[in-house]
Amino acid sequence: MNFDLDPADAAFQAEMRAFIRQALPADIARRGRQGFHATHDDVQAWMRILNARGLAAVHWPRQHGGTDWSPLRRHLFQVELRAAGTPVPDQAALELVGPVIYTFGDEVQKARYLPAILNADTFWCQGFSEPNSGSDLASLKTRAVRDGDHYVVNGQKTWTSEAHKADMMFALVRTDGEARPQAGISFLLIDMKSPGVSVRPIYTINEGLSVNEVFLDNVRVPAENLVGEENRGWGYAKFLLTNERTMSAETPHTAFDLEQVKQIAAVERRGGRPLIEDPLFAARLARFEIELRALEAAVLRVLHMGENDPALNATASVLKLRGSELRQRIADLAVEALGDHGLAVFPDVEGQDNMDVLAPVPPAPDYAAGWLSRAMFRRATTIYGGANEIQRTIIAKSVLGL
């Protein structure tokens, strides 16, 4: 198999690299290279720069503000974005709810929500997981009862990423308590400023804030915010989750991390020589490089699959499984390479992973900043987007026929 780019794609990649280098503000790039969660302002500023060039959502259909780029070019663009340290955009909006709205929403919803997503005027969060209903979404308890022109929603969502910054939530709610679990669920769009919505932060193991609990207490949601048909939300959720699992392979992010590990290993010394010259360490780097390239090839295969390909769901689970584990292992390798310098946990005084009171920062070079924090947060990669145990069950049933 030949992995070399043809001249036209290579020229495209060079053009995108030059554009990003010219357009990305230096202060945002500096913060991005440290690998922390980007701030709301950085994400918004960068998404608006991209939107002005028609590049905010290159994977969307052209009629909704996307491009007609090939899957390979969309992938190359993502690689260049991450290599430059650009802020990760509002993925809940661009990758998850946006495609649901332009696929299943009505014309009013498309006109209202899609332009605001592209220009980062509206930030979104995902209201799927609940206490005791994490990966088993069919058991969710949040209820929505029709009352005239509204639904009245009561319940609780948890592990809700970026809810503390979101303007809107897309949520799965139970609208028929008598139907079988998957048949009584609907897909609602909820304004986070509605009376009855409250958000409580959950500080994660790295002492950062990116996930929350969301409480819904008699929240009145206009019936026009129902996406598609009532009680058909399970199908829309499956469509969304397949996109999320493919995205969860996160190969551009892993490539960025692996490149940083190489740079660390070129500077850190063991036994009087650069760590990267240690044969055992170099062999581990080579193994990760091979696994990453294989995963990238698999992602491109999925991107070329048709939406109705029966293998799509199981293949997306394989990508999520392998990609999330690889991200964890590479972050662990970085901390190992840093040795004592890996203790520099909280140098993020500008991003959102900062606490009210910063812990003392041990002396360490700049490249050590935050790697231990990153490695701790990576524990979440095998949980979000459907826990890896669930992905293995899907693979066992769909691929192995067990």
Side-chain angles (χ1 to χ4, degrees), residues 290-314:
I290 292 168
E291 290 186 33
L292 175 61
R293 298 309 164 203
L295 189 61
E296 286 180 327
V299 168
L300 288 172
R301 286 184 61 190
V302 169
L303 293 175
H304 280 88
M305 285 180 172
E307 293 181 358
N308 297 320
D309 192 309
L312 182 59
N313 194 36

Tab-separated table of all heavy atoms in Angstrom, residues 290-314:
chain	number	residue	atom	x	y	z
A	290	ILE	N	4.071	3.196	14.456
A	290	ILE	CA	3.430	2.201	13.568
A	290	ILE	C	1.949	2.069	13.909
A	290	ILE	O	1.088	2.042	13.020
A	290	ILE	CB	4.151	0.845	13.709
A	290	ILE	CG1	5.568	0.939	13.127
A	290	ILE	CG2	3.358	-0.261	13.015
A	290	ILE	CD1	6.454	-0.235	13.474
A	291	GLU	N	1.637	1.996	15.183
A	291	GLU	CA	0.232	1.862	15.583
A	291	GLU	C	-0.564	3.084	15.151
A	291	GLU	O	-1.720	2.978	14.713
A	291	GLU	CB	0.137	1.678	17.100
A	291	GLU	CG	0.659	0.343	17.584
A	291	GLU	CD	0.408	0.131	19.073
A	291	GLU	OE1	-0.617	0.615	19.588
A	291	GLU	OE2	1.246	-0.509	19.727
A	292	LEU	N	0.035	4.263	15.266
A	292	LEU	CA	-0.662	5.484	14.876
A	292	LEU	C	-0.933	5.494	13.378
A	292	LEU	O	-2.037	5.843	12.935
A	292	LEU	CB	0.167	6.708	15.285
A	292	LEU	CG	-0.379	8.060	14.828
A	292	LEU	CD1	-1.767	8.318	15.415
A	292	LEU	CD2	0.582	9.178	15.238
A	293	ARG	N	0.074	5.120	12.571
A	293	ARG	CA	-0.120	5.133	11.114
A	293	ARG	C	-1.188	4.118	10.706
A	293	ARG	O	-1.981	4.358	9.785
A	293	ARG	CB	1.203	4.837	10.399
A	293	ARG	CG	2.296	5.853	10.654
A	293	ARG	CD	1.828	7.278	10.421
A	293	ARG	NE	2.726	8.255	11.014
A	293	ARG	CZ	2.376	9.484	11.340
A	293	ARG	NH1	1.133	9.894	11.128
A	293	ARG	NH2	3.235	10.315	11.892
A	294	ALA	N	-1.205	2.969	11.364
A	294	ALA	CA	-2.233	1.973	11.057
A	294	ALA	C	-3.618	2.505	11.415
A	294	ALA	O	-4.598	2.307	10.674
A	294	ALA	CB	-1.945	0.684	11.827
A	295	LEU	N	-3.697	3.212	12.537
A	295	LEU	CA	-4.980	3.771	12.956
A	295	LEU	C	-5.441	4.856	11.996
A	295	LEU	O	-6.626	4.957	11.659
A	295	LEU	CB	-4.853	4.336	14.378
A	295	LEU	CG	-6.145	4.765	15.070
A	295	LEU	CD1	-7.101	3.591	15.220
A	295	LEU	CD2	-5.835	5.358	16.446
A	296	GLU	N	-4.513	5.687	11.538
A	296	GLU	CA	-4.871	6.726	10.563
A	296	GLU	C	-5.434	6.100	9.290
A	296	GLU	O	-6.416	6.592	8.720
A	296	GLU	CB	-3.638	7.573	10.228
A	296	GLU	CG	-3.237	8.547	11.330
A	296	GLU	CD	-2.016	9.359	10.963
A	296	GLU	OE1	-1.146	8.809	10.246
A	296	GLU	OE2	-1.923	10.518	11.383
A	297	ALA	N	-4.797	5.016	8.827
A	297	ALA	CA	-5.295	4.345	7.619
A	297	ALA	C	-6.704	3.813	7.845
A	297	ALA	O	-7.570	3.888	6.954
A	297	ALA	CB	-4.349	3.212	7.231
A	298	ALA	N	-6.951	3.280	9.046
A	298	ALA	CA	-8.288	2.760	9.352
A	298	ALA	C	-9.320	3.884	9.401
A	298	ALA	O	-10.457	3.719	8.945
A	298	ALA	CB	-8.257	2.014	10.681
A	299	VAL	N	-8.930	5.038	9.951
A	299	VAL	CA	-9.845	6.187	9.997
A	299	VAL	C	-10.215	6.614	8.577
A	299	VAL	O	-11.392	6.889	8.278
A	299	VAL	CB	-9.199	7.358	10.762
A	299	VAL	CG1	-10.005	8.637	10.575
A	299	VAL	CG2	-9.094	7.029	12.249
A	300	LEU	N	-9.240	6.656	7.694
A	300	LEU	CA	-9.521	7.054	6.314
A	300	LEU	C	-10.458	6.055	5.640
A	300	LEU	O	-11.317	6.439	4.839
A	300	LEU	CB	-8.211	7.179	5.537
A	300	LEU	CG	-7.365	8.403	5.913
A	300	LEU	CD1	-6.004	8.348	5.233
A	300	LEU	CD2	-8.093	9.683	5.523
A	301	ARG	N	-10.316	4.778	5.966
A	301	ARG	CA	-11.240	3.793	5.401
A	301	ARG	C	-12.668	4.072	5.862
A	301	ARG	O	-13.616	4.003	5.074
A	301	ARG	CB	-10.841	2.380	5.838
A	301	ARG	CG	-9.610	1.850	5.139
A	301	ARG	CD	-9.341	0.421	5.559
A	301	ARG	NE	-10.452	-0.465	5.216
A	301	ARG	CZ	-10.551	-1.714	5.635
A	301	ARG	NH1	-9.592	-2.225	6.408
A	301	ARG	NH2	-11.579	-2.459	5.289
A	302	VAL	N	-12.823	4.409	7.142
A	302	VAL	CA	-14.164	4.711	7.651
A	302	VAL	C	-14.724	5.957	6.980
A	302	VAL	O	-15.907	6.022	6.623
A	302	VAL	CB	-14.130	4.891	9.178
A	302	VAL	CG1	-15.444	5.473	9.686
A	302	VAL	CG2	-13.870	3.560	9.858
A	303	LEU	N	-13.877	6.957	6.796
A	303	LEU	CA	-14.344	8.196	6.181
A	303	LEU	C	-14.814	7.973	4.748
A	303	LEU	O	-15.630	8.739	4.222
A	303	LEU	CB	-13.241	9.250	6.219
A	303	LEU	CG	-12.857	9.761	7.617
A	303	LEU	CD1	-11.672	10.709	7.535
A	303	LEU	CD2	-14.041	10.456	8.282
A	304	HIS	N	-14.282	6.920	4.099
A	304	HIS	CA	-14.704	6.617	2.732
A	304	HIS	C	-15.928	5.717	2.690
A	304	HIS	O	-16.484	5.477	1.622
A	304	HIS	CB	-13.551	5.950	1.958
A	304	HIS	CG	-12.541	6.924	1.443
A	304	HIS	ND1	-11.464	7.337	2.187
A	304	HIS	CD2	-12.472	7.597	0.261
A	304	HIS	CE1	-10.753	8.206	1.478
A	304	HIS	NE2	-11.338	8.383	0.316
A	305	MET	N	-16.326	5.168	3.840
A	305	MET	CA	-17.511	4.303	3.867
A	305	MET	C	-18.767	5.133	3.634
A	305	MET	O	-18.849	6.295	4.022
A	305	MET	CB	-17.655	3.615	5.233
A	305	MET	CG	-16.700	2.471	5.482
A	305	MET	SD	-17.008	1.766	7.129
A	305	MET	CE	-15.945	0.325	7.094
A	306	GLY	N	-19.766	4.518	3.025
A	306	GLY	CA	-21.061	5.160	2.915
A	306	GLY	C	-21.759	5.177	4.258
A	306	GLY	O	-21.471	4.334	5.126
A	307	GLU	N	-22.675	6.145	4.451
A	307	GLU	CA	-23.365	6.258	5.730
A	307	GLU	C	-24.195	5.026	6.056
A	307	GLU	O	-24.460	4.743	7.218
A	307	GLU	CB	-24.262	7.506	5.730
A	307	GLU	CG	-23.485	8.810	5.689
A	307	GLU	CD	-24.408	10.007	5.712
A	307	GLU	OE1	-25.635	9.803	5.721
A	307	GLU	OE2	-23.898	11.145	5.716
A	308	ASN	N	-24.580	4.286	5.028
A	308	ASN	CA	-25.424	3.109	5.248
A	308	ASN	C	-24.632	1.812	5.229
A	308	ASN	O	-25.220	0.728	5.196
A	308	ASN	CB	-26.524	3.070	4.183
A	308	ASN	CG	-27.449	4.274	4.270
A	308	ASN	OD1	-27.809	4.705	5.371
A	308	ASN	ND2	-27.817	4.831	3.125
A	309	ASP	N	-23.322	1.892	5.228
A	309	ASP	CA	-22.504	0.676	5.244
A	309	ASP	C	-22.764	-0.076	6.548
A	309	ASP	O	-22.600	0.488	7.631
A	309	ASP	CB	-21.023	1.051	5.138
A	309	ASP	CG	-20.147	-0.162	4.863
A	309	ASP	OD1	-20.280	-1.162	5.599
A	309	ASP	OD2	-19.338	-0.112	3.918
A	310	PRO	N	-23.156	-1.367	6.500
A	310	PRO	CA	-23.480	-2.095	7.734
A	310	PRO	C	-22.287	-2.271	8.666
A	310	PRO	O	-22.475	-2.530	9.859
A	310	PRO	CB	-23.983	-3.448	7.205
A	310	PRO	CG	-23.434	-3.563	5.822
A	310	PRO	CD	-23.360	-2.170	5.290
A	311	ALA	N	-21.072	-2.148	8.139
A	311	ALA	CA	-19.884	-2.329	8.986
A	311	ALA	C	-19.483	-1.054	9.718
A	311	ALA	O	-18.580	-1.078	10.553
A	311	ALA	CB	-18.710	-2.816	8.136
A	312	LEU	N	-20.185	0.069	9.424
A	312	LEU	CA	-19.725	1.355	9.928
A	312	LEU	C	-19.728	1.417	11.453
A	312	LEU	O	-18.752	1.853	12.076
A	312	LEU	CB	-20.602	2.474	9.361
A	312	LEU	CG	-20.221	3.897	9.764
A	312	LEU	CD1	-18.791	4.219	9.330
A	312	LEU	CD2	-21.191	4.905	9.152
A	313	ASN	N	-20.797	0.969	12.087
A	313	ASN	CA	-20.914	1.103	13.533
A	313	ASN	C	-19.835	0.300	14.253
A	313	ASN	O	-19.168	0.797	15.163
A	313	ASN	CB	-22.304	0.654	13.993
A	313	ASN	CG	-22.614	1.084	15.405
A	313	ASN	OD1	-22.207	2.162	15.826
A	313	ASN	ND2	-23.317	0.242	16.146
A	314	ALA	N	-19.640	-0.958	13.843
A	314	ALA	CA	-18.631	-1.789	14.503
A	314	ALA	C	-17.226	-1.262	14.243
A	314	ALA	O	-16.367	-1.264	15.131
A	314	ALA	CB	-18.750	-3.227	14.022
